[in-house]
């Protein structure tokens, strides 16, 4: 899986182009686009779990989370979808103490 970054000398804009049609590349491109519904659908159709994607998928040699932070549209929403660890709840039984 490889995604290429091309920079135009005229516009200095960074354009990310998919290098192949693999499931992993599709996940990277969807996360980059920032469409939450499309990301949810691509995760389901990939057959991978969110934790697997977060821990194993790399886009341009970096984790999918870093890739989205650096290049993605709607990065905060994509990060919330992919990495739910910061939203986990812990319950402590106070009666035991």
């Amino acid at each position: 899986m490889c995604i290429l970054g091309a920079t135009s000398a005229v516009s200095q804009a960074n354009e990310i182009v998919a290098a192949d049609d693999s499931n992993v590349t599709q996940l990277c491109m969807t996360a980059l686009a920032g469409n939450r519904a499309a990301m949810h659908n691509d995760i389901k159709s990939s057959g991978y779990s969110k934790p697997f994607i977060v821990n194993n998928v790399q886009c341009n040699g970096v984790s999918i989370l870093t890739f989205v932070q650096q290049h993605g549209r709607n990065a905060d929403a994509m990060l919330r979808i992919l990495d739910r660890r910061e939203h986990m709840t812990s319950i402590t039984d106070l009666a035991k103490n």
Side-chain angles (χ1 to χ4, degrees):
M1 188 284 304
C2 181
I3 297 176
L4 303 175
T7 303
S8 168
V10 176
S11 68
Q12 294 300 317
N14 194 16
E15 180 181 346
I16 308 291
V17 179
D20 60 41
D21 291 329
S22 72
N23 284 343
V24 173
T25 298
Q26 184 61 41
L27 288 168
C28 292
M29 295 305 291
T30 302
L32 184 70
N35 183 323
R36 293 173 32 178
M39 190 70 208
H40 177 74
N41 290 336
D42 282 357
I43 289 169
K44 280 183 73 173
S45 68
S46 74
Y48 301 128
S49 68
K50 287 181 191 178
F52 179 86
I53 292 168
V54 168
N55 293 321
N56 296 289
V57 171
Q58 292 206 343
C59 310
N60 272 3
V62 297
S63 75
I64 192 168
L65 297 177
T66 301
F67 184 70
V68 168
Q69 284 177 320
Q70 292 174 349
H71 306 288
R73 293 186 203 131
N74 201 11
D76 290 336
M78 285 296 103
L79 294 174
R80 282 192 305 272
I81 287 171
L82 292 169
D83 192 10
R84 307 287 290 204
R85 286 181 292 183
E86 66 188 49
H87 303 290
M88 289 185 162
T89 302
S90 176
I91 299 172
T92 304
D93 186 356
L94 297 176
K96 279 189 167 182
N97 295 330

